[in-house]
Amino acid sequence: MHNDLTRRVVAEFFGTFWLVFGGCGAAIFAAAYPDLGIGFMGVALAFGLTVLSMAYAVGHVSGGHFNPAVTLGLWAANRCANKHVLPYISAQVLGAIIAAAVLWSIASGKPDFVPGGFAANGYGELSPGKYTLAACFSAEVVATFFFLLIIVGTTSKGAATGFAGIPIGLALTLIHLVTIPITNTSVNPARSTSQALFAGSDYVGQLWLFWLAPILGAIVAGIATRLIYEPETLVATTIVEERSVSA
């Protein structure tokens, strides 16, 4: 049992590391690169590809959450054991922070490096489009709600076997295409925390929204899936597990 939990936690650590390194790295290094920037489309695709690739690489080990909101949403859907919630979230946050530290070390190797927002999330004056707190909160809740709905639906019994990583990765891409101008897209408290720590105190001060809104949207989605799907479809698969009261 100890070895099983260790494998799961390590999988979540590396999965979240890759999400931050690949997604935020694309935003920091390539989004606005002179004359050849990948723009919003490229950054959105980068985030989707990180989840898609790691879902197939380690999803069968841990469930491929890579996101505290996903872990709590799956827990609310009876798809994550109680004993895995805190270890998963700890590994996700640690993996994200270490990835951000690696990005910082690379970025600071450029002579004229200026951290700027460092791909951090924000509302009001720190929102890319200067959207209000209420607008940013709504965007994060709705985006995370549907992200969880897609995750649960595509990994439930009866869904196309072996293909869940594709719609999940594409869903994250779509979410970024819509919400990058609003909040710089979080839907992931670990990703938000890691970048805010290097972007500065102003961003750290707004972190509460990027924990509360994604978690709220995810938990509501988790509960909703218990109303949408028959109980027998919400069972253990190769990448999720059933939660029991005593688990």
Side-chain angles (χ1 to χ4, degrees):
M1 185 59 67
H2 173 72
N3 288 337
D4 176 68
L5 180 58
T6 299
R7 290 189 301 106
R8 288 171 176 268
V9 167
V10 170
E12 286 297 308
F13 172 89
F14 283 118
T16 314
F17 180 101
W18 186 238
L19 183 150
V20 170
F21 183 83
C24 294
I28 293 166
F29 299 121
Y33 194 81
D35 303 322
L36 195 64
I38 61 175
F40 286 176
M41 177 69 78
V43 173
L45 185 59
F47 273 101
L49 289 174
T50 62
V51 170
L52 173 62
S53 56
M54 285 310 248
Y56 286 106
V58 299
H60 57 287
V61 176
S62 66
H65 300 187
F66 318 142
N67 181 338
V70 170
T71 295
L72 290 169
L74 291 175
W75 173 83
N78 286 334
R79 294 276 294 270
C80 179
N82 296 337
K83 63 188 176 184
H84 292 151
V85 173
L86 290 180
Y88 273 32
I89 292 175
S90 299
Q92 292 156 2
V93 173
L94 181 61
I97 291 173
I98 292 179
V102 172
L103 290 175
W104 181 274
S105 69
I106 295 171
S108 60
K110 186 178 180 182
D112 57 348
F113 168 62
V114 177
F118 206 63
N121 304 115
Y123 58 83
E125 287 302 310
L126 300 183
S127 159
K130 311 303 179 188
Y131 286 84
T132 65
L133 185 157
C136 292
F137 188 89
S138 298
E140 289 291 328
V141 170
V142 172
T144 315
F145 175 91
F146 280 98
F147 190 40
L148 258 293
L149 199 67
I150 292 165
I151 289 172
V152 174
T154 56
T155 58
S156 293
K157 184 178 180 181
T161 304
F163 292 97
I166 297 173
I168 292 171
L170 290 175
L172 189 59
T173 299
L174 176 58
I175 286 169
H176 277 78
L177 288 174
V178 174
T179 62
I180 286 177
I182 304 171
T183 63
N184 218 17
T185 310
S186 173
V187 301
N188 186 333
R191 168 261 190 272
S192 296
T193 300
S194 65
Q195 303 312 117
L197 292 177
F198 289 88
S201 59
D202 289 344
Y203 290 93
V204 172
Q206 295 190 355
L207 262 180
W208 67 268
L209 185 145
F210 301 105
W211 276 85
L212 178 60
I215 288 174
L216 176 61
I219 289 178
V220 172
I223 295 170
T225 60
R226 292 158 64 178
L227 303 175
I228 296 171
Y229 299 104
E230 293 292 335
E232 58 267 24
T233 67
L234 295 175
V235 297
T237 71
T238 57
I239 63 171
V240 291
E241 70 241 22
E242 185 176 14
R243 172 167 67 91
S244 66
V245 175
S246 60

